[in-house]
Amino acid sequence: MGLKGFVEGGVASVIAGASTHPLDLIKLHCQHFLTDHLRSPTSTACWTPFHWCPYHPNPRGAAALFSGISATLLRQTLYSTTRMGLYDVLKHKWTDPDTNSMPLVSKIGAGLISGAVGAAVGNPADVAMVRMQADGRLPIENRRNYKSVVDALSQMSKQEGVASLWRGSSLTVNRAMIVTASQLASYDQAKEMILEKGLLSDGIGTHVAASFVAGFVASVASNPIDVIKTRVMNMKVEPGVEPPYKGALDCAVKTVKAEGPMALYKGFIPTISRQGPFTVVLFVTLEQVRKLLKDF
């Protein structure tokens, strides 16, 4: 049962991640400001939290929307497979056999634990993904030009040390805990409520409706830490030069001071526009995979 949950979650996560990768790329560009001189104070691009980012692919055309796709696939394989599988294990362990139900508090706890473990496993791929996605927005002379996720991980290890693969790991873990707890717990809770009230039968309609609820909750809960994580992971660190941010807290304080509290919800529309479809594809695919593997 445990291994099966990892396989089901992994397949669903890879499919969801690959299909929504362009939306994730747009979200990242809306959340991250590379340097102050690259942005005019009067610019409307990503200026308000609910303003759509006018992202334009670089000269490679539409292919640029899939920048960093190899890192996304590796991230989903490591991070999402782990968190989905572990959540499934904990859910089966903590479900009351008499009522066949699990309290919301237990669902949240399972999400927090599984999200933390998954993030620790997948952080190197997460760092590589953020850098590869943001590379097209950097000045040509500052671009890293990673050829693949393997090349990215190799260059980071050689140039910045192995520890760089876990840069921003505290943020990644915190974000993963929040996302997993809010996303998986709210999906299960919404699905149970829909079925208990007899609003829909246990089919694709219920799965889609519960997924939308889960996607919205996860977006609201995770956007602030996602903004900070993106900036910390993508900051340029040079020998002898003080880094832009000393850590997550310093980044949060500087961001709020310079841009106001609502800067933490910068790119919210791209976030929910990506999180919504991702969550729907994730859970609808997961339910279908479960049906296919129910006899195994």
Side-chain angles (χ1 to χ4, degrees), residues 34-67:
L34 299 172
T35 57
D36 289 338
H37 74 271
L38 289 177
R39 176 179 173 273
S40 168
T42 59
S43 172
T44 58
C46 303
W47 178 242
T48 67
F50 305 107
H51 194 286
W52 181 263
C53 175
Y55 172 72
H56 298 287
N58 64 26
R60 287 182 296 152
L65 291 173
F66 286 90
S67 297

Side-chain angles (χ1 to χ4, degrees), residues 22-45:
L23 296 175
D24 197 37
L25 181 65
I26 293 172
K27 179 202 70 174
L28 182 144
H29 281 273
C30 283
Q31 289 177 333
H32 179 64
F33 289 95
L34 299 172
T35 57
D36 289 338
H37 74 271
L38 289 177
R39 176 179 173 273
S40 168
T42 59
S43 172
T44 58

Side-chain angles (χ1 to χ4, degrees), residues 25-148:
L25 181 65
I26 293 172
K27 179 202 70 174
L28 182 144
H29 281 273
C30 283
Q31 289 177 333
H32 179 64
F33 289 95
L34 299 172
T35 57
D36 289 338
H37 74 271
L38 289 177
R39 176 179 173 273
S40 168
T42 59
S43 172
T44 58
C46 303
W47 178 242
T48 67
F50 305 107
H51 194 286
W52 181 263
C53 175
Y55 172 72
H56 298 287
N58 64 26
R60 287 182 296 152
L65 291 173
F66 286 90
S67 297
I69 185 65
S70 61
T72 292
L73 295 178
L74 179 61
R75 177 178 180 269
Q76 295 300 335
T77 300
L78 297 176
Y79 159 63
S80 289
T81 297
T82 301
R83 72 175 184 125
M84 297 288 287
L86 185 55
Y87 179 83
D88 190 65
V89 170
L90 294 176
K91 185 169 71 171
H92 280 88
K93 186 179 291 291
W94 293 349
T95 295
D96 189 328
D98 296 325
T99 62
N100 196 33
S101 64
M102 181 178 175
L104 179 59
V105 174
S106 297
K107 292 172 185 171
I108 294 174
L112 293 173
I113 294 172
S114 57
V117 176
V121 172
N123 197 82
D126 205 17
V127 177
M129 181 186 72
V130 169
R131 290 191 173 194
M132 291 174 73
Q133 288 180 337
D135 209 42
R137 289 284 299 276
L138 288 167
I140 295 178
E141 64 274 13
N142 293 334
R143 291 181 185 176
R144 300 179 176 100
N145 296 315
Y146 297 136
K147 298 176 182 178
S148 66

Side-chain angles (χ1 to χ4, degrees), residues 102-261:
M102 181 178 175
L104 179 59
V105 174
S106 297
K107 292 172 185 171
I108 294 174
L112 293 173
I113 294 172
S114 57
V117 176
V121 172
N123 197 82
D126 205 17
V127 177
M129 181 186 72
V130 169
R131 290 191 173 194
M132 291 174 73
Q133 288 180 337
D135 209 42
R137 289 284 299 276
L138 288 167
I140 295 178
E141 64 274 13
N142 293 334
R143 291 181 185 176
R144 300 179 176 100
N145 296 315
Y146 297 136
K147 298 176 182 178
S148 66
V149 64
V150 175
D151 182 48
L153 296 176
S154 176
Q155 286 196 43
M156 280 189 282
S157 299
K158 292 178 181 178
Q159 298 172 6
E160 304 172 47
V162 176
S164 68
L165 301 181
W166 275 269
R167 178 173 295 149
S169 59
S170 61
L171 283 167
T172 304
V173 168
N174 289 334
R175 178 188 181 277
M177 291 173 69
I178 292 172
V179 169
T180 304
S182 58
Q183 186 185 62
L184 301 189
S186 60
Y187 174 79
D188 282 345
Q189 192 69 20
K191 179 182 174 182
E192 286 179 11
M193 291 178 65
I194 291 172
L195 295 178
E196 286 177 2
K197 294 183 180 297
L199 300 177
L200 294 168
S201 60
D202 189 4
I204 192 168
T206 295
H207 305 156
V208 171
S211 296
F212 271 116
V213 173
F216 179 78
V217 173
S219 298
V220 172
S222 67
N223 203 90
I225 197 167
D226 203 26
V227 170
I228 302 304
K229 178 182 76 75
T230 298
R231 297 187 180 196
V232 171
M233 281 187 168
N234 199 51
M235 67 179 178
K236 191 173 182 63
V237 179
E238 298 178 348
V241 179
E242 185 176 353
Y245 309 117
K246 297 177 182 178
L249 182 59
D250 182 52
C251 180
V253 171
K254 288 181 177 178
T255 297
V256 171
K257 282 185 177 180
E259 305 169 45

